[in-house]
Amino acid sequence: MKRVNVKGISGSGKSTFAVELARRLELPYIELDALHHGPNWSEPTAEEFRERVLQAMAAAPEGWVIDGNYEGKLGDTVLREADTIVWLDPPFRIKARWLWLRTAHRIRDEVELWSGNRESWRTALWGRDALFWWMLRGHFRHRRQWPRRFAGDERFVRLRSVAEAKDWLEARSG
């Protein structure tokens, strides 16, 4: 296991899990959100984003743990290179609670994210692309599409609970 893509919706625990997996495997951690979000939440074109991701992957020839999805812009850029694909899919109530707690912390403490961006209640709760609406749509879309998409793919691991995720990580202790 040298090239791992950790997938899931906002609030699923992707980043925490991916950072810990990278530590255990002694591999670089690559966060797709950091490569995607520019100042004032600007977004690169699909071509620019693919190039950023390819450069990050090339800078880690011994392997990597990549946290994120973005197939709409990346296509199979990450998936075709991954030797392991981990989908964190805890119950909706868990994801919603974690997202709420994380977002409240980031807003209250004015946590700087990528490129100087900060979350706000407006971007978290209102509008078609609000964080919580994005999470809600993604939860059902992934559960509908990903089991079929990855059926029979030996690289694919679906972890449906905190206990499963912890056990899977423990099996990869470093």
Side-chain angles (χ1 to χ4, degrees):
M1 187 173 10
K2 291 288 187 186
R3 295 178 317 277
V4 183
N5 182 200
V6 178
K7 307 178 79 47
I9 63 166
S10 296
S12 64
K14 282 188 314 292
S15 298
T16 302
F17 182 91
V19 166
E20 179 60 19
L21 181 60
R23 185 191 68 74
R24 289 174 188 237
L25 297 175
E26 298 180 348
L27 293 171
Y29 165 67
I30 300 170
E31 183 181 24
L32 293 182
D33 282 340
L35 299 174
H36 187 262
H37 296 295
N40 299 311
W41 296 105
S42 61
E43 297 181 7
T45 65
E47 184 177 301
E48 292 167 335
F49 189 38
R50 268 192 304 277
E51 185 56 35
R52 290 177 190 175
V53 172
L54 287 169
Q55 286 176 4
M57 291 164 63
E62 300 302 314
W64 36 256
V65 175
I66 293 180
D67 152 18
N69 307 310
Y70 288 101
E71 279 84 18
K73 281 192 172 178
L74 293 176
D76 68 349
T77 301
V78 174
L79 291 175
R80 78 170 165 257
E81 299 298 327
D83 58 35
T84 307
I85 302 163
V86 178
W87 175 21
L88 296 182
D89 186 32
F92 179 80
R93 71 185 184 290
I94 300 293
K95 291 182 248 191
R97 181 174 184 269
W98 286 347
L99 185 61
W100 179 262
L101 292 171
R102 182 191 83 186
T103 302
H105 159 72
R106 287 178 173 178
I107 293 169
R108 181 188 64 240
D109 295 343
E110 298 182 1
V111 174
E112 183 177 320
L113 301 173
W114 319 277
S115 303
N117 295 311
R118 299 182 197 295
E119 290 184 356
S120 70
W121 288 118
R122 183 184 57 75
T123 58
L125 298 173
W126 289 282
R128 189 175 65 84
D129 292 327
L131 182 59
F132 283 90
W133 284 113
W134 182 258
M135 186 269 289
L136 181 66
R137 287 191 311 266
H139 171 79
F140 292 105
R141 183 178 64 247
H142 293 170
R143 284 198 166 180
R144 185 177 58 253
Q145 295 173 353
W146 287 2
R148 283 191 311 254
R149 179 177 184 186
F150 296 108
D153 189 330
E154 293 179 7
R155 304 172 301 159
F156 188 69
V157 178
R158 183 178 184 181
L159 303 174
R160 299 176 193 230
S161 70
V162 174
E164 277 185 19
K166 285 181 179 177
D167 289 346
W168 195 86
L169 270 177
E170 279 305 311
R172 278 120 199 108
S173 287

